[in-house]
Amino acid sequence: MSDDVQHQPAAPADNEGAPSRPSGGSVVGKKNRKPLLIGLAVAVVVIAAAVLLYDIFIGSRSVSTDNAYVGGESAEVTPLTAGQVVEVLVTDTQPVRRGQILFRLDDKDQRISLAQAQAQVEYATRRYGQSLANNNALGAAADASAAQISSAQAKQASAQATLERAQEDYRRRAALAEGGAVSGEELTSARQALASARAAAQEAAAAVVQARANTNSARRQEEAAVALTRGTSNQTAPEILLAKAQLANAKLAMERTVVRAPIDGVIARRSIQVGQKVEAGTVAMMIVPVGQLYVDANFKEDQLGKVRSGQTAIVTSDFYGDDVKYHGRVVGFSGGTGAAFSLIPAQNATGNWIKVVQRLPVRIELDPRELKQHPLRIGLSMEAEIDLTSKD
């Protein structure tokens, strides 16, 4: 029994036959992580260097922003005379050309005013002709008055001769009456003839004075009438010019009942309907000049140090994507930032002031040919990049 126990093999130990672990495992793990850290550091340095080089050699050559929008000088269509809308020939989104009829107003009142103005021109022309005829008539009357002076003077001379003859006859008869050769009756008759001749002479003298006064009055009337027409014709007379001006005004009011497009573009915000009564100056619609649009790019203030008018720019639209590029040119800068022109400007004079980088609108003019190929609309979002190396 003891021999069997003695020759029985011993049980293997718990760790016998298991793979052995090399000593110092933690040191080996640290050695494997070290190259990774070094590679990561090198990558960071390389990326930083690449960014720095890009900023120096490429990024500093241009500035860009995606805070840009399409703008345009829209035209407001307003009737210049009041009236009822009788016809509207366009609608929103419709392209129009300059001079194209947009709508018409009722022109009955204007037609009546035009007819009155035409009649007034004819009346003024006839009145001017009448004034010329009156001038001739007044001249003839003045000449007739002048002729009456001569007649009155001849009568005065005759009356003066009669007076002298009557005076001589009276003196002779008075001398004879002292010797009794002439009767008292003859002397009385001679005295009466002398008084009558003297009265006739005075009357003839007064007639000469009256004729001269009539002539002077006729000449003054002629001069006053001629003064209104002197140096004029039926084309330059003031009353005719006034009537023609009123006629031109009536024609203009008539033309204004037909409202035409002031520019080329697309109709927007039409607000009138047939039958509506509109007043002069009422905005009936707007026209957007899609062929003359621009971009207002809002750059940060720290981007504008090297931006100058005349520099070229590349502009892309979210509407068409990066495949369509517009070539523009910087034409100017806004007079202030957007915050300065806001309804309630920011007030920074407080104790809790925080500096905020401001943006300044920069106007970029677009190429009309490119706009014609790829039309834009006001308000569309754009991305703008200005080439700082281009010449002003």
Side-chain angles (χ1 to χ4, degrees):
M1 184 73 179
S2 62
D3 293 337
D4 294 337
V5 174
Q6 183 177 2
H7 294 286
Q8 186 178 0
D14 293 337
N15 294 331
E16 187 178 355
S20 62
R21 294 182 179 178
S23 61
S26 59
V27 176
V28 175
K30 291 181 179 179
K31 289 182 179 181
N32 291 335
R33 288 196 300 269
K34 186 174 182 180
L36 295 177
L37 295 175
I38 294 174
L40 180 60
V42 171
V44 171
V45 172
V46 170
I47 293 174
V51 171
L52 179 62
L53 293 175
Y54 176 85
D55 184 66
I56 294 175
F57 295 102
I58 299 178
S60 61
R61 299 169 61 91
S62 64
V63 291
S64 62
T65 182
D66 59 357
N67 189 348
Y69 304 93
V70 179
E73 302 298 336
S74 300
E76 292 185 345
V77 179
T78 59
L80 299 179
T81 185
Q84 184 181 28
V85 179
V86 295
E87 186 179 18
V88 181
L89 302 175
V90 295
T91 186
D92 282 341
T93 73
Q94 179 178 339
V96 294
R97 304 290 295 178
R98 180 177 182 180
Q100 180 176 337
I101 297 177
L102 303 179
F103 61 94
R104 302 176 189 271
L105 301 177
D106 185 11
D107 59 359
K108 293 185 180 64
D109 293 339
Q110 286 76 9
R111 288 183 182 276
I112 294 174
S113 298
L114 180 60
Q116 291 176 342
Q118 291 172 336
Q120 188 64 31
V121 170
E122 183 64 24
Y123 178 73
T125 302
R126 292 177 180 271
R127 285 293 302 271
Y128 180 76
Q130 184 182 19
S131 297
L132 293 179
N134 288 338
N135 293 346
N136 295 331
L138 291 174
D143 294 338
S145 296
Q148 289 177 359
I149 293 177
S150 299
S151 176
Q153 288 175 340
K155 291 180 180 180
Q156 182 185 20
S158 177
Q160 186 66 30
T162 301
L163 175 61
E164 291 176 356
R165 189 168 52 253
Q167 288 176 341
E168 180 65 23
D169 186 56
Y170 177 73
R171 283 196 300 270
R172 186 173 61 252
R173 291 180 182 279
L176 294 175
E178 292 177 358
V182 175
S183 64
E185 183 179 354
E186 290 180 354
L187 182 61
T188 301
S189 178
R191 185 181 296 111
Q192 291 176 348
L194 176 61
S196 178
R198 185 176 289 115
Q202 293 176 349
E203 183 179 359
V208 171
V209 174
Q210 181 65 38
R212 287 175 177 171
N214 291 339
T215 300
N216 289 334
S217 176
R219 291 299 182 191
R220 302 290 86 78
Q221 291 179 1
E222 180 188 10
E223 292 175 357
V226 170
L228 295 176
T229 59
R230 182 181 293 114
T232 63
S233 66
N234 58 356
Q235 300 297 324
T236 61
E239 59 270 29
I240 295 179
L241 293 179
L242 177 60
K244 288 183 176 180
Q246 293 174 345
L247 175 60
N249 187 49
K251 289 181 177 179
L252 182 60
M254 183 71 180
E255 293 174 358
R256 285 174 173 173
T257 60
V258 179
V259 181
R260 300 177 182 271
I263 60 173
D264 297 344
V266 174
I267 299 297
R269 294 175 59 186
R270 196 194 94 174
S271 59
I272 60 170
Q273 303 294 335
V274 174
Q276 179 180 347
K277 176 68 180 295
V278 295
E279 300 296 333
T282 303
V283 179
M285 61 188 68
M286 296 183 66
I287 299 179
V288 179
V290 293
Q292 300 177 355
L293 300 179
Y294 53 81
V295 170
D296 282 332
N298 302 301
F299 284 93
K300 295 180 181 179
E301 53 188 319
D302 55 5
Q303 293 180 294
L304 299 175
K306 297 182 180 180
V307 177
R308 300 290 184 270
S309 294
Q311 292 176 341
T312 59
I314 301 295
V315 183
T316 58
S317 169
D318 293 350
F319 188 78
Y320 293 106
D322 295 338
D323 294 337
V324 177
K325 296 184 182 298
Y326 297 89
H327 298 81
R329 182 174 61 89
V330 176
V331 295
F333 302 83
S334 175
T337 64
F341 291 134
S342 62
L343 184 61
I344 304 178
Q347 178 55 261
N348 296 328
T350 59
N352 58 350
W353 171 74
I354 298 176
K355 180 178 180 180
V356 177
V357 177
Q358 301 298 314
R359 290 182 179 268
L360 184 71
V362 177
R363 179 69 54 86
I364 299 176
E365 185 181 65
L366 300 179
D367 188 345
R369 294 172 298 180
E370 296 178 345
L371 283 173
K372 186 176 181 179
Q373 295 175 357
H374 299 91
L376 294 173
R377 295 295 184 266
I378 290 179
L380 291 179
S381 299
M382 307 290 287
E383 293 184 8
E385 182 178 358
I386 298 176
D387 185 2
L388 301 179
T389 61
S390 59
K391 294 183 180 180
D392 297 355

